[in-house]
Amino acid sequence: MSSGANNRPTYARITGTGSYLPGEPVSNPDLVARGIDTSDEWIIERTGIRYRHFVASDETTGAMAKIASERALAMAGLDAGELDLIVLATSTPDFVFPSTACLLQGALGNHGATVFDVQAVCSGFVYALAVADKFIRSGTHKKALVVGSDAFSNILDWQDRGTCVLFGDGAGAVVLEAAAAPGVLSSVLRADGAQADILSVPGQVRCGRVWGDPFLRMEGQAVFRNAVRVLVSVAEECCRAAGMETREIDWLIPHQANIRIIDATSRKMGLAREKVIVTVDRHGNTSAASVPLALDEAVRDGRIRKGQRVLLEGVGGGFTWGAVLFEF
Ligand code: UT7
């Protein structure tokens, strides 16, 4: 934690949230009607997912990010021109480069901020938020926009029923501002590259061609086991870093991949189900967007109130995982 000129520590507070879901909800029976060899019963029983949203063919990750960002900026009462930091988490960027964060900056009309993408797949938003918090605490930056935006429908193999029913598209954003009081209390970011192959899109764009496999591939059960283990351990580590027990938090917002992962995690943490924000039933797994989408929903419907302590958790490809604990 840095000290400013007045020797008081600087914290980073969330002052606005926003989100965006494209198009109409697509139900499990809609997927069956599109020819996918699955059933409403199987998807609900194994995942808890009932609906997801998909981008239109001309709708981009950056375009979704812009709408979510404008909503977060409006809640914070900030103009995009005032931002000095934009961090965007995605694994479905609009281009190889420039970064989707720079495209977002241009679309918002900001000039001169520090702007970059973070690539940590479904842990992306938690990574981006922790990084932005460190920029603000260092005293170099004061007003940050942190975004998670993903359009996984573009990287799904519709012949692979073990993955294509799980994911949806969307974006979520928060405004993070320097403040004299917390704010973010602690964060923990972890990864294990030795497990890169259990969840990946192993293709490359090279010499004008796509080399390898451009679709999402997953060893579902390995991801499931790892996810529960690391979500429990990182929650404990992040709360401990803030001098708290996990049962003392007001809200848990875990990555929304599968209701069975969410239930197993909260059970092992000893947390009542009523303290867990769940959107996976209506959003599916929106990767980097899942946590900020759930956060925005719970802020706007009044569940998350000023002064409450909220634990955000991500887990995904890489293998990556992490948590951010903050006071709202
Ligand atoms: O952000 C992190 C991203 N990923 C995750 O969090 C996913 C973690 N993993 C999971 O959520 C689960 O492993 C899945 C939901 C992906 C799969 O559930 P599972 O209980 O591990 O099922 P399974 O892969 O063992 O498959 C069981 C059966 C198989 O049939 P047989 O071999 O028993 O006859 C599959 O072919 O279910 C079949 N199956 C399906 N059936 C209907 C697989 N996908 C489907 C489907 N519809 N969509």
Side-chain angles (χ1 to χ4, degrees), residues 38 42 46-47 122 161-162 218 220-221 223 255 257-258 261 285:
T38 189
W42 190 94
R46 303 288 177 125
T47 72
C122 302
R161 65 179 184 170
M218 180 173 71
Q221 292 188 0
V223 172
H255 172 47
N258 184 320
I261 295 177
N285 180 347

Side-chain angles (χ1 to χ4, degrees), residues 2 7 37 80 87 114 181 208 245 305:
S2 79
N7 252 4
D37 179 17
V87 188
T114 304
E245 302 279 336
R305 298 191 304 275

